[in-house]
Amino acid sequence: MRELLINVIRPFSFLPAILIMYAIFTLSGQSGEVSAGLSYKVSYKIVEMKSKMAGEYKDEYQLAYEAELIHPKVRKLAHMTEYFCLAIAVSFPFYVYSLRGIPLMLVAGIICVGFAGLDEYHQSFVAGRGPSPRDVAIDSVGIFFGILAVRIFCWVFLLLLPKRKKRRNYS
């Protein structure tokens, strides 16, 4: 019964990766103006929280100035983060299907980098946006660290699991 349940659930292990791909595709479909506005709001919130935590009560103009300074970095960090998450969501199911080591890195890496390239191509059809090989490179950094995180997590997890004793069949 357990094996049947595992075999039924296993194909659904790719669902998180598909959902993340959908989210990335949807965000990439936003116009350049909408996308920039969304990431600027995040930049502004970061600067505002930093100011409050440091006990500095800056006015709107100072916060806006600082938000503009970090805005490009926030956008690039968002790229790395979303592809880091995608790499994890793609790598875990392959690990469950016993794909390990270099083959795991290659398969998951090709899928994620390929998706990053297709996503940049998709942006060439969106108003105010365009494809950027630099963004694919930034995405690839997140992908590499996502796959590496899965490999390290699974390696440590397997080390901590007690070894199974082989059962002998005396019949």
Side-chain angles (χ1 to χ4, degrees):
M1 182 68 175
R2 184 173 181 263
E3 283 297 315
L4 176 65
L5 184 62
I6 289 172
N7 289 332
V8 168
I9 292 174
R10 236 183 214 181
F12 292 105
S13 63
F14 286 100
L15 191 59
I18 292 167
L19 292 174
I20 291 171
M21 287 177 171
Y22 176 76
I24 291 170
F25 186 80
T26 302
L27 288 170
S28 293
Q30 295 176 332
S31 71
E33 188 178 312
V34 171
S35 177
L38 180 63
S39 60
Y40 176 79
K41 285 179 186 175
V42 172
S43 302
Y44 190 89
K45 280 291 184 194
I46 291 169
V47 169
E48 188 178 42
M49 285 178 20
K50 178 191 150 247
S51 175
K52 284 181 183 176
M53 289 173 65
E56 309 165 340
Y57 297 97
K58 298 180 179 179
D59 65 24
E60 238 178 85
Y61 299 106
Q62 290 171 315
L63 292 173
Y65 174 75
E66 289 183 20
E68 280 296 328
L69 291 177
I70 69 165
H71 185 229
K73 292 179 179 105
V74 168
R75 287 184 70 85
K76 299 312 170 195
L77 187 60
H79 265 270
M80 283 195 321
T81 304
E82 64 190 9
Y83 279 91
F84 174 85
C85 294
L86 177 61
I88 289 173
V90 167
S91 297
F92 264 126
F94 283 122
Y95 199 91
V96 168
Y97 279 103
S98 298
L99 189 62
R100 308 261 161 69
I102 300 297
L104 171 69
M105 294 183 82
L106 288 174
V107 170
I110 288 169
I111 290 170
C112 293
V113 173
F115 183 76
L118 287 173
D119 185 52
E120 288 300 317
Y121 178 69
H122 164 244
Q123 288 181 28
S124 68
F125 299 103
V126 177
R129 300 190 78 165
S132 169
R134 183 174 179 233
D135 281 350
V136 175
I138 290 167
D139 298 341
S140 297
V141 171
I143 291 165
F144 173 77
F145 284 109
I147 295 169
L148 191 63
V150 169
R151 293 213 46 219
I152 291 170
F153 175 81
C154 291
W155 179 70
V156 168
F157 184 74
L158 288 175
L159 282 178
L160 296 176
L161 279 178
K163 300 277 187 212
R164 281 198 222 175
K165 292 180 182 177
K166 291 184 180 181
R167 288 185 174 180
R168 294 181 185 204
N169 191 354
Y170 294 107
S171 39

